[in-house]
Amino acid sequence: MVGKIIPLVESYLGSIKEGHLTKMGSKRSKKPIKRRKSQGVIKRRLDVRFSKHIRDIENNICGFCGAKGKRMECHHGVVHRRYMNTRYEPDNCACVCGGCHRFLSDFPKINTEFFRKRIGAGRMEQLEILARSGKKVDLEQVEIELKRKMEALE
């Protein structure tokens, strides 16, 4: 009896070392598990690309004070970036320097006037309606469209 158990245990231990058995002892597939990227990972990558896209469109020039420089930021002006429907809308954003970004964030009335002059009251209203529409956003599709737009600029 002992002679039959020892080869079985050795076989089991060898399989564990090779990574073929799970804790319960069943064999698992050798195919790698394809995991969907989390929404947070996609959002972060899109935020970086979209910010670069806005800064490239405006040639790294502050839309508020006219300063030129390396430290430009993407400012979401009409509707806060937490609304996914308008988060990646170019009309909802402006390339601004760090100082102007803080200033516009701290003074909403001046921010509203800045964007009213920039895109018009009608477009501002459209963005506000779109932001609160509750429409589901496909981030992977947004990423594909953004890549296409960035390639067209180059």
Side-chain angles (χ1 to χ4, degrees), residues 51 79 112-113 152:
S51 177
V79 184
T112 301
E113 191 57 36

Side-chain angles (χ1 to χ4, degrees), residues 20 35-36 40 45 56 59 67 70 73 86 100 117 124 135-136:
H20 297 297
R35 293 187 176 148
R36 275 188 60 192
R45 188 174 58 230
D56 287 348
N59 298 317
K70 296 178 184 175
E73 300 172 0
T86 54
C100 290
K117 287 178 185 173
M124 285 179 68
K135 181 181 150 191
K136 187 84 171 158

Side-chain angles (χ1 to χ4, degrees), residues 120-139:
R123 182 63 179 144
M124 285 179 68
E125 189 175 327
Q126 288 175 346
L127 288 172
E128 289 170 359
I129 291 168
L130 177 62
R132 290 164 178 85
S133 69
K135 181 181 150 191
K136 187 84 171 158
V137 176
D138 182 5
L139 292 177

Side-chain angles (χ1 to χ4, degrees), residues 34-95:
K34 186 175 181 181
R35 293 187 176 148
R36 275 188 60 192
K37 293 176 184 163
S38 74
Q39 295 293 320
V41 169
I42 295 171
K43 244 193 267 188
R44 178 68 190 134
R45 188 174 58 230
L46 268 174
D47 285 348
V48 170
R49 284 187 180 154
F50 183 71
S51 177
K52 183 179 179 344
H53 177 64
I54 294 298
R55 289 178 281 137
D56 287 348
I57 288 172
E58 299 187 22
N59 298 317
N60 282 320
I61 298 172
C62 179
F64 192 71
C65 73
K68 296 178 184 180
K70 296 178 184 175
R71 178 93 170 87
M72 294 294 157
E73 300 172 0
C74 178
H75 173 62
H76 290 78
V78 180
V79 184
H80 194 273
R81 63 182 259 178
R82 74 174 166 250
Y83 294 101
M84 291 304 297
N85 293 333
T86 54
R87 185 178 187 132
Y88 304 108
E89 282 286 329
D91 286 346
N92 186 36
C93 298
C95 174

Side-chain angles (χ1 to χ4, degrees), residues 20-37:
H20 297 297
L21 296 179
T22 63
K23 288 182 181 177
M24 296 302 293
S26 62
K27 289 191 174 187
R28 68 175 182 213
S29 171
K30 291 187 178 184
K31 284 189 215 174
I33 298 170
K34 186 175 181 181
R35 293 187 176 148
R36 275 188 60 192
K37 293 176 184 163

